[in-house]
Amino acid sequence: MAELKAGALLLVSREASVQFVKPFNFRLIRVLDWITYDGWTWLDGYQLDKRGDAVARRSIFVMRHGLRAGSIPSPRPRRTSSADSAVRGTRRPARSRQPSVVIDERRH
């Protein structure tokens, strides 16, 4: 069973309640102090997507022993931009622009 304190990341699945067929991560805001059956509890928090972003605020009714610690995959390293390359000194020189109008300098 995962520790139930504010900020905890939980994996909510069918083990916690039969209604959760598709498992999801849940960021706990608080444990509600509502009277329930022994071993069951109400949780208030945010359902998270695969990236760890909150997609819905929910109050869920679950069995404590069915909750597991959740996990969010670490973010992929972002691509470096040309500004990052310039800092490292690996930026390619800019192409020179050719004038769009040709001036004839042989005029008298």
Side-chain angles (χ1 to χ4, degrees):
M1 180 174 82
E3 186 178 358
L4 299 181
K5 65 178 186 174
L9 180 61
L10 306 171
L11 178 64
V12 179
S13 67
R14 203 170 183 115
E15 292 179 40
S17 180
V18 295
Q19 64 184 320
F20 302 119
V21 177
K22 185 177 177 185
F24 63 91
N25 284 309
F26 187 79
R27 177 74 64 192
L28 183 63
I29 296 172
R30 63 187 171 146
V31 178
L32 299 169
D33 59 354
W34 299 344
I35 298 171
T36 66
Y37 298 103
D38 188 39
W40 290 78
T41 190
W42 280 95
L43 304 177
D44 192 23
Y46 294 100
Q47 182 175 343
L48 308 178
D49 65 11
K50 291 179 181 180
R51 295 179 306 182
D53 296 326
V55 292
R57 183 167 179 174
R58 298 180 68 174
S59 293
I60 58 175
F61 186 57
V62 294
M63 288 187 290
R64 285 179 177 258
H65 74 270
L67 296 170
R68 304 286 177 254
S71 65
I72 301 294
S74 58
R76 294 181 187 172
R78 65 183 183 98
R79 292 184 179 189
T80 58
S81 67
S82 59
D84 292 338
S85 298
V87 171
R88 289 191 303 268
T90 58
R91 186 174 178 186
R92 288 187 276 169
R95 294 187 300 187
S96 62
R97 293 187 175 190
Q98 298 296 324
S100 58
V101 178
V102 177
I103 302 172
D104 188 5
E105 296 178 4
R106 294 181 288 164
R107 284 194 262 172
H108 291 68

